[in-house]
PDB file of all heavy atoms in Angstrom:
ATOM      1  N   VAL A 379     -56.716  12.524   5.564  1.00 93.00           N
ATOM      2  CA  VAL A 379     -57.293  12.456   4.152  1.00 93.00           C
ATOM      3  C   VAL A 379     -57.151  13.802   3.401  1.00 93.00           C
ATOM      4  O   VAL A 379     -56.655  13.857   2.390  1.00 93.00           O
ATOM      5  CB  VAL A 379     -58.700  11.816   4.138  1.00 93.00           C
ATOM      6  CG1 VAL A 379     -59.197  11.910   2.732  1.00 93.00           C
ATOM      7  CG2 VAL A 379     -58.657  10.476   4.633  1.00 93.00           C
ATOM      8  N   ALA A 380     -57.561  14.884   4.155  1.00 92.00           N
ATOM      9  CA  ALA A 380     -57.426  16.164   3.516  1.00 92.00           C
ATOM     10  C   ALA A 380     -56.021  16.573   3.211  1.00 92.00           C
ATOM     11  O   ALA A 380     -55.776  17.164   2.146  1.00 92.00           O
ATOM     12  CB  ALA A 380     -58.144  17.148   4.414  1.00 92.00           C
ATOM     13  N   ALA A 381     -55.112  16.217   4.219  1.00 93.00           N
ATOM     14  CA  ALA A 381     -53.787  16.625   3.925  1.00 93.00           C
ATOM     15  C   ALA A 381     -53.149  15.758   2.727  1.00 93.00           C
ATOM     16  O   ALA A 381     -52.382  16.266   1.895  1.00 93.00           O
ATOM     17  CB  ALA A 381     -52.981  16.199   5.166  1.00 93.00           C
ATOM     18  N   ALA A 382     -53.669  14.479   2.639  1.00 94.00           N
ATOM     19  CA  ALA A 382     -53.163  13.678   1.441  1.00 94.00           C
ATOM     20  C   ALA A 382     -53.613  14.230   0.135  1.00 94.00           C
ATOM     21  O   ALA A 382     -52.900  14.209  -0.847  1.00 94.00           O
ATOM     22  CB  ALA A 382     -53.657  12.271   1.635  1.00 94.00           C
ATOM     23  N   ILE A 383     -54.971  14.712   0.082  1.00 95.00           N
ATOM     24  CA  ILE A 383     -55.418  15.298  -1.110  1.00 95.00           C
ATOM     25  C   ILE A 383     -54.718  16.579  -1.475  1.00 95.00           C
ATOM     26  O   ILE A 383     -54.295  16.869  -2.625  1.00 95.00           O
ATOM     27  CB  ILE A 383     -56.901  15.701  -0.870  1.00 95.00           C
ATOM     28  CG1 ILE A 383     -57.763  14.367  -0.878  1.00 95.00           C
ATOM     29  CG2 ILE A 383     -57.414  16.485  -2.101  1.00 95.00           C
ATOM     30  CD1 ILE A 383     -59.139  14.582  -0.483  1.00 95.00           C
ATOM     31  N   LEU A 384     -54.350  17.435  -0.463  1.00 95.00           N
ATOM     32  CA  LEU A 384     -53.544  18.685  -0.671  1.00 95.00           C
ATOM     33  C   LEU A 384     -52.106  18.282  -1.153  1.00 95.00           C
ATOM     34  O   LEU A 384     -51.551  19.090  -1.975  1.00 95.00           O
ATOM     35  CB  LEU A 384     -53.539  19.523   0.540  1.00 95.00           C
ATOM     36  CG  LEU A 384     -54.882  20.100   1.015  1.00 95.00           C
ATOM     37  CD1 LEU A 384     -54.764  20.829   2.322  1.00 95.00           C
ATOM     38  CD2 LEU A 384     -55.367  21.175  -0.054  1.00 95.00           C
ATOM     39  N   ALA A 385     -51.527  17.291  -0.669  1.00 94.00           N
ATOM     40  CA  ALA A 385     -50.225  16.811  -1.061  1.00 94.00           C
ATOM     41  C   ALA A 385     -50.269  16.493  -2.506  1.00 94.00           C
ATOM     42  O   ALA A 385     -49.251  16.724  -3.321  1.00 94.00           O
ATOM     43  CB  ALA A 385     -49.706  15.629  -0.098  1.00 94.00           C
ATOM     44  N   GLY A 386     -51.235  15.647  -2.848  1.00 92.00           N
ATOM     45  CA  GLY A 386     -51.325  15.320  -4.361  1.00 92.00           C
ATOM     46  C   GLY A 386     -51.468  16.558  -5.245  1.00 92.00           C
ATOM     47  O   GLY A 386     -50.923  16.679  -6.298  1.00 92.00           O
ATOM     48  N   LEU A 387     -52.221  17.537  -4.745  1.00 93.00           N
ATOM     49  CA  LEU A 387     -52.407  18.808  -5.479  1.00 93.00           C
ATOM     50  C   LEU A 387     -51.029  19.514  -5.586  1.00 93.00           C
ATOM     51  O   LEU A 387     -50.617  20.021  -6.691  1.00 93.00           O
ATOM     52  CB  LEU A 387     -53.363  19.717  -4.898  1.00 93.00           C
ATOM     53  CG  LEU A 387     -53.608  21.093  -5.533  1.00 93.00           C
ATOM     54  CD1 LEU A 387     -54.104  20.954  -6.862  1.00 93.00           C
ATOM     55  CD2 LEU A 387     -54.655  21.861  -4.712  1.00 93.00           C
ATOM     56  N   ALA A 388     -50.321  19.648  -4.446  1.00 92.00           N
ATOM     57  CA  ALA A 388     -49.029  20.239  -4.388  1.00 92.00           C
ATOM     58  C   ALA A 388     -47.982  19.541  -5.377  1.00 92.00           C
ATOM     59  O   ALA A 388     -47.144  20.148  -6.061  1.00 92.00           O
ATOM     60  CB  ALA A 388     -48.441  20.323  -3.072  1.00 92.00           C
ATOM     61  N   ALA A 389     -47.964  18.196  -5.448  1.00 91.00           N
ATOM     62  CA  ALA A 389     -47.167  17.414  -6.257  1.00 91.00           C
ATOM     63  C   ALA A 389     -47.512  17.799  -7.785  1.00 91.00           C
ATOM     64  O   ALA A 389     -46.593  18.010  -8.624  1.00 91.00           O
ATOM     65  CB  ALA A 389     -47.374  15.875  -6.025  1.00 91.00           C
ATOM     66  N   TRP A 390     -48.757  17.930  -8.043  1.00 90.00           N
ATOM     67  CA  TRP A 390     -49.193  18.253  -9.397  1.00 90.00           C
ATOM     68  C   TRP A 390     -48.664  19.616  -9.821  1.00 90.00           C
ATOM     69  O   TRP A 390     -48.136  19.921 -10.887  1.00 90.00           O
ATOM     70  CB  TRP A 390     -50.683  18.242  -9.485  1.00 90.00           C
ATOM     71  CG  TRP A 390     -51.274  18.664 -10.881  1.00 90.00           C
ATOM     72  CD1 TRP A 390     -51.317  17.931 -12.085  1.00 90.00           C
ATOM     73  CD2 TRP A 390     -51.735  20.016 -11.222  1.00 90.00           C
ATOM     74  NE1 TRP A 390     -51.741  18.694 -12.998  1.00 90.00           N
ATOM     75  CE2 TRP A 390     -52.121  19.880 -12.553  1.00 90.00           C
ATOM     76  CE3 TRP A 390     -51.975  21.063 -10.444  1.00 90.00           C
ATOM     77  CZ2 TRP A 390     -52.637  21.056 -13.309  1.00 90.00           C
ATOM     78  CZ3 TRP A 390     -52.614  22.234 -11.071  1.00 90.00           C
ATOM     79  CH2 TRP A 390     -52.864  22.154 -12.451  1.00 90.00           C
ATOM     80  N   MET A 391     -48.776  20.613  -8.921  1.00 90.00           N
ATOM     81  CA  MET A 391     -48.270  21.955  -9.104  1.00 90.00           C
ATOM     82  C   MET A 391     -46.685  21.847  -9.270  1.00 90.00           C
ATOM     83  O   MET A 391     -46.191  22.642 -10.152  1.00 90.00           O
ATOM     84  CB  MET A 391     -48.674  22.823  -7.919  1.00 90.00           C
ATOM     85  CG  MET A 391     -50.151  23.150  -7.844  1.00 90.00           C
ATOM     86  SD  MET A 391     -50.462  24.109  -6.327  1.00 90.00           S
ATOM     87  CE  MET A 391     -49.725  25.681  -6.659  1.00 90.00           C
ATOM     88  N   LEU A 392     -46.046  21.018  -8.551  1.00 87.00           N
ATOM     89  CA  LEU A 392     -44.625  20.862  -8.599  1.00 87.00           C
ATOM     90  C   LEU A 392     -44.230  20.285 -10.086  1.00 87.00           C
ATOM     91  O   LEU A 392     -43.420  20.804 -10.727  1.00 87.00           O
ATOM     92  CB  LEU A 392     -44.015  20.057  -7.591  1.00 87.00           C
ATOM     93  CG  LEU A 392     -42.493  20.028  -7.491  1.00 87.00           C
ATOM     94  CD1 LEU A 392     -41.988  21.453  -7.003  1.00 87.00           C
ATOM     95  CD2 LEU A 392     -42.083  18.981  -6.455  1.00 87.00           C
TER      96      LEU A 392
END
Side-chain angles (χ1 to χ4, degrees):
V379 171
I383 293 172
L384 291 174
L387 178 61
W390 176 79
M391 293 176 64
L392 193 61

